[in-house]
Amino acid sequence: MSKAPSDMYFESVVRPEQNNRFLLDSLCERFTYHSREDWIDRLTRGLVTLNGQVATVESIAHTDDKVVYHVENYTEPEVPTDFTTVFEDDEFMVVAKPAGTPVHHTGHIFYNTFAAIVRRATDCETATPMHRLDRDTGGLMLFAKYAESAARFQKNLDRILLRKFYLAVVEGEFPEGEMHCEFPLREVDDDPIRLRMHHVEGGKLCHTVFKRIAVLPGSSGSGTNGSSDCGSNSGSNGSSGSSKNTRTLVEAELITGRKHQIRAHLAELGFPIVGDRLYGHGGVYYEKMARGGGLTEEDFLVLGAHSQMLYAYKAEIQLPYWREPRTFESHDFPDEMKRVVEPVIGNLLSCSL
C-alpha cells in the first residue's frame, strides 16, 4: 500500500463556456463535491490559485486559465499498489493490475490510480494505459511508455492488442463446450443503479466467447469435481441452470469490449461471477455500499468472496516491430480466487489455455 500525501494539488483548465465569468461560479458548476459555501471558504483561505496567483471570490476566469486547488489533510481509500511487470521494452510494457485499484481517477481516488502508480514506480511520467479494466478486476494491461506511442495506436488498438482472455469463477454449473454470447447491452433509465448494463433492445453490439474449464473442487455439480473440460467441443448454447453451491471456472474471450461486458453477459445467462456486488444478488450489496454502508463478513459470505473472481489472465499482442504475435499470461489472482483456482491450475497449463 502507498499512502496518499496529506497535501495534494489538483490542476484544471478553464473551459471555453466559462470564459469571462467568476472563478467561483466555474468551480461550483464543475466540481460539485464542494458546496458554494465550501468553495467560498477555500478561496478566502487562499487555497486556490489562478495562473499562479492566489484567487479570490472576485477573480474572473478566462478560457485556458490554469487553476490549482490545494487540498489540506487529504485522504483517500487505500487500494493495492503492488503490481508485476510481465514484459517491457523501449516503447511498451505489459503489467498485471491488482484487483481493487481503479485505472483512472474516481470520485474518491486521485493519487493511487493504477496509471499514477505505474508512472511513479517506473519513472515513465507519460506512461498511458491503452485500455481499461474495471476497478474490481485484476489482470494484464498494456501500457505505452510515451504519449506519442499511445496517440499513435490508441485509435487502432485492435492492431496490436489482438486477443484478450479472462478467467471467471461463476455461480452454478456452466454448460460444457464453447458458447458465443451476443446479447446487446446498454444502461436503462428505470434501473436505480444507473451504471448497470442490461440485455435490452437497442443495446450496443457485444460478443463474448465463453468456454467451461472445470466444475470446481467442493462444488456439488453433476460433473466430476475439479475435472477439466479441455478438449470438449459439445457447443452447448443454453443455460443449464444454477445448481446451489456449484461453481464453475470459465474462460471468456472478449471479441468486443463494452462496459462490464463479461460480468453483464454472465449475469444475463444466469451465472453471475462470484463476489460481483453489482451483477450478483440483484445488486443489493452494491446499493448498500453506495449508501455509505460497509459490507459485513456475513455479506461477503453470501457474495462468496471479498472481491469478484474475474481476472484478465492472458493477452495476445503484436507490436509493430515484431515479426510474430506474442502471448503473455499472469496468474496473480486475488488470494480468494487463487485458492479456488489453484487445484485445477495444472490442467489449465497442460491444456495451453
Side-chain angles (χ1 to χ4, degrees):
M1 301 287 181
S2 177
K3 192 173 182 180
S6 59
D7 286 280
M8 286 283 287
Y9 296 84
F10 296 95
E11 298 183 4
S12 63
V13 174
V14 176
R15 295 173 175 173
E17 62 268 25
Q18 294 159 339
N19 183 50
N20 206 33
R21 296 177 58 193
F22 285 114
L23 175 63
L24 172 61
D25 293 335
S26 172
L27 293 171
C28 291
E29 289 178 9
R30 289 185 62 188
F31 307 111
T32 56
Y33 47 78
H34 288 323
S35 66
R36 188 175 186 85
E37 291 72 23
D38 287 338
W39 278 121
I40 291 174
D41 172 70
R42 283 153 176 76
L43 286 163
T44 302
R45 291 165 56 201
L47 298 177
V48 182
T49 62
L50 186 64
N51 295 327
Q53 302 297 314
V54 175
T56 71
V57 293
E58 302 296 329
S59 295
I60 302 297
H62 300 93
T63 302
D64 294 332
D65 280 354
K66 181 180 178 181
V67 181
V68 178
Y69 169 38
H70 175 199
V71 180
E72 301 173 304
N73 302 314
Y74 178 78
T75 61
E76 64 182 36
E78 290 189 353
V79 298
T81 55
D82 294 334
F83 69 93
T84 303
T85 301
V86 177
F87 165 82
E88 182 176 1
D89 68 7
D90 291 339
E91 276 200 84
F92 291 92
M93 53 186 160
V94 178
V95 295
K97 182 185 90 68
T101 305
V103 175
H104 300 291
H105 70 78
T106 68
H108 301 286
I109 297 175
F110 292 87
Y111 181 76
N112 274 328
T113 65
F114 189 56
I117 290 167
V118 170
R119 289 166 189 156
R120 291 195 299 268
T122 61
D123 292 326
C124 294
E125 295 183 359
T126 58
T128 303
M130 299 298 289
H131 55 102
R132 295 192 180 200
L133 281 180
D134 293 341
R135 175 177 175 175
D136 292 331
T137 303
L140 295 177
M141 292 193 67
L142 176 66
F143 271 70
K145 287 188 171 182
Y146 307 104
E148 297 81 5
S149 300
R152 203 159 16 119
F153 295 104
Q154 199 99 55
K155 292 182 178 179
N156 298 294
L157 183 61
D158 57 347
R159 294 184 182 179
I160 58 173
L161 185 54
L162 305 183
R163 303 177 77 183
K164 294 182 290 183
F165 297 86
Y166 294 68
L167 287 177
V169 178
V170 304
E171 302 283 2
E173 185 173 348
F174 200 83
E176 293 182 2
E178 189 173 274
M179 177 191 296
H180 288 254
C181 182
E182 299 182 69
F183 293 157
L185 298 171
R186 69 172 174 86
E187 299 163 350
V188 296
D189 293 337
D190 60 355
D191 187 343
I193 305 177
R194 295 295 297 274
L195 57 76
R196 185 162 46 188
M197 304 294 280
H198 296 265
H199 170 209
V200 290
E201 186 177 349
K204 292 182 177 179
L205 174 66
C206 299
H207 186 185
T208 313
V209 180
F210 294 109
K211 178 182 177 184
R212 185 173 106 170
I213 304 303
V215 177
L216 291 168
S219 296
S220 57
S222 59
T224 302
N225 288 350
S227 64
S228 169
D229 291 322
C230 295
S232 172
N233 192 31
S234 61
S236 298
N237 281 320
S239 168
S240 61
S242 296
S243 302
K244 189 176 181 181
N245 300 323
T246 304
R247 292 179 178 177
T248 311
L249 181 63
V250 175
E251 181 189 70
E253 180 181 4
L254 282 178
I255 307 302
T256 57
R258 308 300 185 190
K259 183 177 81 170
H260 301 172
Q261 180 175 314
I262 294 173
R263 298 163 65 191
H265 271 176
L266 285 168
E268 292 285 355
L269 288 168
F271 303 95
I273 294 170
V274 173
D276 192 335
R277 303 165 194 174
L278 179 59
Y279 289 95
H281 304 278
V284 295
Y285 296 106
Y286 179 89
E287 290 184 296
K288 181 177 180 180
M289 293 191 67
R291 292 193 299 267
L295 299 185
T296 66
E297 286 305 312
E298 289 76 14
D299 295 333
F300 290 124
L301 188 63
V302 175
L303 283 164
H306 288 73
S307 62
Q308 66 186 22
M309 293 192 182
L310 176 66
Y311 192 82
Y313 87 107
K314 185 169 69 172
E316 184 178 307
I317 296 170
Q318 170 77 74
L319 295 181
Y321 38 85
W322 290 349
R323 297 183 64 180
E324 301 288 340
R326 301 181 190 178
T327 299
F328 300 95
E329 288 196 27
S330 170
H331 294 165
D332 290 340
F333 308 112
D335 288 343
E336 290 171 304
M337 183 175 179
K338 184 179 293 185
R339 287 194 294 269
V340 172
V341 170
E342 274 186 340
V344 294
I345 280 289
N347 270 341
L348 296 179
L349 294 176
S350 65
C351 293
S352 301
L353 296 182

